[in-house]
């Protein structure tokens, strides 16, 4: 069964360093997302991406965040200068279509620990 | 900002019983609803989607939607210890194409043998 894959599964970085989280969405999906979940809290939307551009972003997704689809298969989230409060699980998701009835499927997540 | 509310639990049920999980939402215009299951330390896994008033069944799972009362529920029949997880309710939000999900905090279900 097709699935969203994320690498690495766990990333430890020092505060102020740049990190890149990688995702391979399901191959025929056109919409890509990043969510995060701080330990013990809700899953929060960060950004959605379609047709090589951001379609929506949350207040969390400030200038230190960026997303890119560098080739036909990968979708990346870059955090330029990590802060302690960026420590969280980061989930990539994809969906075949956009719109309210769209089912989104999540990758297994990357646990980011900023020290 | 749309909101999704869930009782955090834990909801404890014996093995073989029916577990009933509830979710209320703030936006009367919401059209679709999703239930995800999340095991501890893992990612959300889509288990049910529902778009119309009434019931939708899939195996041991039944989703129920009541738009007039703005609630959606998930019933798990013949609960198994492997069903022990946090169940997340989600509704689409955002401008234009609804390209984001708004999640509730989740209800933790514990099924004991």
């Amino acid at each position: 069964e097709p699935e969203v894959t994320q690498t690495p599964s766990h990333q430890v970085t020092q505060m102020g360093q740049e990190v890149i989280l990688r995702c391979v969405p399901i191959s025929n999906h056109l919409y890509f997302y990043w969510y995060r979940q701080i330990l013990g809290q809700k899953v929060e939307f960060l950004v959605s991406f379609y047709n090589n551009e951001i379609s929506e972003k949350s207040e969390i997704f400030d200038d230190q965040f960026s997303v890119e689809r560098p080739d036909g298969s990968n979708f990346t989230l870059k955090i330029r200068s990590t802060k302690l409060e960026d420590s969280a699980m980061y989930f990539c998701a994809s969906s075949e279509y956009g719109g309210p009835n769209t089912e989104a499927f999540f990758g297994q997540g990357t646990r980011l620990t900023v020290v | 900002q749309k909101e999704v509310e869930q009782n955090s639990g834990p909801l404890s049920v014996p093995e073989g019983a029916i577990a009933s999980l509830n979710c209320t939402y703030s936006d009367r215009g919401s059209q679709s609803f999703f239930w995800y299951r999340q095991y501890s330390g893992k990612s959300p896994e889509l288990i049910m989607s529902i778009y119309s008033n009434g019931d939708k069944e899939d195996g041991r799972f039944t989703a129920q939607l009541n738009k007039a009362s703005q609630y959606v529920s998930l019933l798990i029949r013949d609960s198994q210890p492997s069903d022990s997880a946090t169940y997340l309710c989600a509704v689409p939000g955002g401008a234009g194409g609804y390209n984001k999900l708004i999640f509730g905090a989740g209800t933790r279900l514990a099924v004991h043998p």
Side-chain angles (χ1 to χ4, degrees):
Chain A
E1 186 169 326
E3 60 180 17
V4 178
T5 57
Q6 291 185 243
T7 54
S9 56
H10 192 186
Q11 173 99 42
V12 181
T13 189
Q14 288 199 325
M15 191 168 51
Q17 295 297 303
E18 174 183 287
V19 294
I20 297 176
L21 309 183
R22 292 183 165 80
C23 168
V24 178
I26 295 172
S27 62
N28 64 329
H29 285 190
L30 301 177
Y31 292 78
F32 315 122
Y33 315 88
W34 284 100
Y35 289 81
R36 79 172 186 188
Q37 187 175 32
I38 295 170
L39 187 63
Q41 297 188 22
K42 292 183 183 182
V43 176
E44 302 174 286
F45 169 80
L46 292 178
V47 66
S48 58
F49 191 86
Y50 168 71
N51 198 25
N52 280 319
E53 59 183 30
I54 291 173
S55 50
E56 187 164 356
K57 60 184 180 181
S58 73
E59 293 175 352
I60 303 167
F61 195 88
D62 61 20
D63 290 345
Q64 69 162 340
F65 291 92
S66 62
V67 288
E68 190 179 30
R69 188 154 165 83
D71 54 44
S73 59
N74 290 283
F75 179 52
T76 62
L77 173 69
K78 182 191 290 186
I79 310 175
R80 254 178 282 281
S81 178
T82 50
K83 303 171 189 161
L84 294 176
E85 55 264 37
D86 294 327
S87 295
M89 281 288 283
Y90 287 81
F91 298 112
C92 175
S94 69
S95 63
E96 190 172 357
Y97 308 108
N101 293 354
T102 300
E103 295 181 342
F105 298 91
F106 284 70
Q108 80 278 22
T110 294
R111 181 174 298 282
L112 176 65
T113 303
V114 182
V115 296
Chain B
Q1 169 74 338
K2 296 183 180 182
E3 293 186 357
V4 178
E5 298 292 335
Q6 295 181 258
N7 188 319
S8 61
L11 174 66
S12 183
V13 301
E15 184 175 356
I18 296 175
S20 177
L21 305 159
N22 299 313
C23 168
T24 60
Y25 57 93
S26 62
D27 183 1
R28 188 170 289 278
S30 294
Q31 300 177 43
S32 49
F33 308 86
F34 303 92
W35 283 100
Y36 285 82
R37 177 176 61 199
Q38 187 176 32
Y39 292 111
S40 181
K42 304 296 185 183
S43 62
E45 175 192 6
L46 180 65
I47 53 173
M48 290 285 286
S49 57
I50 186 166
Y51 313 120
S52 305
N53 270 334
D55 295 1
K56 177 182 177 183
E57 189 173 315
D58 184 359
R60 295 187 296 111
F61 298 98
T62 299
Q64 299 176 318
L65 175 58
N66 184 324
K67 290 186 177 180
S69 301
Q70 294 178 238
Y71 82 77
V72 57
S73 60
L74 179 71
L75 302 179
I76 306 174
R77 289 183 299 282
D78 188 23
S79 296
Q80 301 296 309
S82 58
D83 295 326
S84 299
T86 297
Y87 290 80
L88 309 177
C89 175
V91 298
Y98 302 90
N99 288 320
K100 74 179 191 184
L101 290 172
I102 298 169
F103 283 86
T107 298
R108 189 157 58 91
L109 173 66
V111 181
H112 53 86

